[in-house]
């Protein structure tokens, strides 16, 4: 499963209140059902983080490395498109011969399709997928192994149905409320080029600042974890205000130096901001890296520092610790960004970042 090895996608959450003492029993009560009962309608339920067939949820099976490791499993039966199309075509031809017709109406085609699915669906093996989670009870932190809004909404809904507690995603809005007692609506908007945005895009402003900061300063001192350094890399995805659906995205992947490409400079000149980029964070000989989606405040293709532990329990605990360190570092970078945006020096800072964007050499 993703959190215990390799690269993965994840989103960070806080759990705003203590889960009930019997929370594992609550998850066990909504465990994934038998595969024999799976139909064409998706079936959702909880399993442990070990594998998608492990429905025995208790303290021994759900706890790993001091954290709780569970997965929201989806099971569904599907007919492959090529098989379904072939069956439907065969039945349509039989229908035309039996009724001496030259074509089949759309109503009859729909009926044939539905009957084909009903007849053959239980012969199909169930397809399994899962959204893993890691819960740290002492810190009330939750890491969810997904980055798409659809998957996250599904997970949050099922988590709430199970525990009656709704996780709160770590976003620019929640960080501003927690650290500065303010909201995104009242937060300044960073204008680098083109016309000013009419509404806050705080995640994109933060990513633009990270890029600026990485090239002008980079280093950050954390009181507990020491010195971090930051680097922004391609692929870069630029987008303008109102282009959240990708209508006017500019993606820069290749070239000798994508960050100093003419396309990158031109995008900033017309007011586009980074929506996605690869982010690499280092501390001594440790490296965290992955693609940061500023709009979702989520990470994908994420790699943790190489570990030194041997047992599965120790490896998992070390990986969760490294996730927590990364969370602390990103929160600290965001605090530094918000301090600038909310401080008296904001006009000077905005002038500096505009000059940085304007004067940078384009290759």
């Amino acid at each position: 499963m993703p959190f215990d090895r390799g690269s993965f996608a994840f989103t960070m959450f806080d759990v705003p209140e203590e889960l009930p003492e019997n929370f594992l029993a609550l998850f066990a009560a909504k465990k994934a059902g038998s595969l024999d009962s799976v139909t064409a309608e998706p079936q959702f339920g909880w399993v442990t983080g070990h594998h998608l067939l492990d429905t025995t949820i208790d303290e021994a099976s759900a706890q790993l490395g001091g954290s709780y490791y569970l997965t929201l499993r989806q099971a569904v039966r599907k007919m492959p498109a090529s098989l379904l199309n072939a069956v439907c075509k065969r039945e349509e031809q039989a229908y035309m011969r039996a009724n001496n017709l030259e074509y089949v109406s759309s109503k009859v085609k729909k009926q044939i399709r539905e009957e084909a699915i009903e007849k053959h669906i239980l012969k199909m093996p169930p397809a399994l997928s899962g959204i893993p989670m890691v819960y740290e009870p002492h810190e009330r932190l939750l890491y969810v192994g997904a980055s798409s809004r659809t998957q996250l909404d599904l997970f949050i809904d099922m988590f709430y149905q199970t525990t009656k507690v709704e996780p709160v995603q770590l976003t620019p809005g929640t960080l501003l409320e927690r650290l500065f007692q303010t909201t995104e609506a009242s937060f300044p908007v960073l204008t680098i080029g083109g016309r000013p945005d009419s509404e806050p895009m705080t995640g994109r402003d933060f990513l633009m600042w990270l890029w600026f900061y990485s090239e002008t300063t980079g280093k950050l001192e954390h009181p507990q974890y020491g010195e971090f350094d930051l680097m922004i890399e391609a692929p870069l995805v630029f987008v303008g205000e109102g282009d959240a659906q990708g209508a006017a995205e500019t993606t820069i992947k290749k070239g000798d130096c994508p960050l100093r490409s003419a396309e990158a400079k031109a995008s900033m000149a017309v007011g586009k901001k980074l929506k996605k980029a690869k982010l690499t964070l280092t501390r001594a000989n440790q490296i965290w890296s992955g693609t940061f989606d500023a709009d979702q405040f989520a990470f994908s293709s994420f790699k943790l520092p190489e570990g030194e532990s041997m047992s599965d329990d120790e490896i998992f605990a070390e990986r969760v610790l490294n996730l927590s360190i990364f969370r602390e570092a990103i929160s600290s970078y965001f605090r530094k960004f918000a301090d600038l945006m909310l401080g008296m020096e904001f006009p000077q800072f905005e002038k500096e970042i505009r000059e940085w964007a304007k004067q940078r050499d384009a290759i």
Side-chain angles (χ1 to χ4, degrees):
M1 298 296 289
F3 284 108
D4 53 12
R5 64 179 181 275
S7 61
F8 54 95
F10 77 98
T11 306
M12 300 176 281
F13 288 81
D14 290 326
V15 179
E17 58 187 274
E18 294 283 351
L19 294 185
E21 288 187 12
N22 67 333
F23 75 90
L24 281 181
L26 298 177
F27 281 99
K30 290 188 177 292
K31 69 180 182 180
S34 166
L35 294 183
D36 292 337
S37 64
V38 176
T39 65
E41 291 296 318
Q43 178 199 87
F44 297 98
W46 298 101
V47 295
T48 73
H50 298 293
H51 57 77
L52 293 174
L53 298 177
D54 188 3
T55 57
T56 303
I57 299 175
D58 54 28
E59 193 74 24
S61 63
Q63 190 172 157
L64 186 63
S67 302
Y68 290 94
Y69 190 22
L70 296 165
T71 297
L72 176 60
R73 189 186 81 183
Q74 174 181 306
V76 65
R77 294 182 194 268
K78 293 182 180 180
M79 284 185 70
S82 58
L83 175 60
L84 179 58
N85 290 337
V87 170
C88 289
K89 182 63 69 175
R90 182 187 65 189
E91 297 304 316
E92 288 169 13
Q93 290 173 351
Y95 179 84
M96 287 189 292
R97 286 193 300 268
N99 294 277
N100 196 26
L101 297 173
E102 293 184 358
Y103 68 92
V104 180
S105 68
S106 58
K107 180 179 179 180
V108 174
K109 283 185 176 182
K110 180 180 179 183
Q111 182 180 345
I112 288 173
R113 183 181 181 87
E114 290 173 350
E115 289 175 353
I117 292 174
E118 183 178 358
K119 181 178 179 180
H120 296 283
I121 194 66
L122 292 180
K123 302 174 186 177
M124 303 297 113
L128 304 181
S129 60
I131 304 174
M133 60 163 258
V134 175
Y135 173 55
E136 293 191 78
H138 301 299
E139 303 293 334
R140 297 216 305 260
L141 301 179
L142 184 67
Y143 301 99
V144 179
S147 57
S148 80
R149 191 71 260 159
T150 301
Q151 284 187 309
L152 291 173
D153 288 344
L154 171 65
F155 179 90
I156 292 169
D157 180 62
M158 192 65 181
F159 190 95
Y160 178 77
Q161 287 184 40
T162 304
T163 66
K164 303 307 177 190
V165 176
E166 183 172 343
V168 177
Q169 185 181 346
L170 189 74
T171 64
T174 55
L175 284 169
L176 287 172
E177 289 177 14
R178 180 191 308 159
L179 300 175
F180 298 92
Q181 293 74 55
T182 190
T183 64
E184 281 192 271
S186 58
F187 193 69
V189 175
L190 184 61
T191 303
I192 298 175
R195 295 177 300 173
D197 293 339
S198 60
E199 60 183 58
M201 290 289 183
T202 310
R204 297 178 192 179
D205 286 351
F206 175 50
L207 183 50
M208 289 301 299
W209 174 82
L210 284 175
W211 185 11
F212 166 76
Y213 190 79
S214 70
E215 293 192 353
T216 57
T217 306
K219 298 186 184 302
L220 178 143
E221 188 71 28
H222 188 278
Q224 181 178 357
Y225 295 114
E227 186 178 83
F228 292 92
D229 204 354
L230 181 81
M231 181 168 58
I232 300 296
E233 300 176 86
L236 311 173
V237 179
F238 288 91
V239 66
E241 185 189 17
D243 297 328
Q245 301 304 315
E249 288 186 355
T250 300
T251 302
I252 305 171
K253 298 181 179 180
K254 300 179 180 179
D256 294 334
C257 188
L259 276 74
R260 292 197 170 274
S261 65
E263 293 87 350
K265 186 171 183 176
S267 294
M268 288 189 284
V270 297
K272 290 186 177 183
K273 296 176 181 176
L274 276 180
K275 175 185 173 184
K276 287 184 182 179
K278 181 180 177 183
L279 183 153
T280 298
L281 185 74
T282 61
R283 183 186 72 150
N285 62 342
Q286 292 183 303
I287 301 173
W288 295 257
S289 69
T291 298
F292 177 40
D293 184 329
D295 285 359
Q296 296 296 336
F297 222 71
F299 298 85
S300 58
S301 302
F302 194 80
K303 295 180 181 179
L304 292 168
E306 293 291 333
E308 298 178 357
S309 300
M310 298 298 291
S311 73
D312 290 345
D313 199 73
E314 291 173 335
I315 290 170
F316 192 80
E318 188 175 39
R319 286 172 68 84
V320 173
L321 173 62
N322 282 327
L323 266 178
S324 297
I325 292 172
F326 179 79
R327 177 190 176 109
E328 281 292 318
I330 284 296
S331 297
S332 295
Y333 275 104
F334 187 87
R335 180 192 287 273
K336 196 170 189 68
F337 157 73
D339 275 335
L340 273 173
M341 296 288 285
L342 293 168
M344 296 292 291
E345 65 269 33
F346 171 66
Q348 178 60 31
F349 156 63
E350 190 174 46
K351 181 180 178 181
E352 289 175 2
I353 198 170
R354 285 176 183 169
E355 285 298 311
W356 167 81
K358 184 179 179 181
Q359 300 299 327
R360 58 192 289 108
D361 296 331
I363 297 175

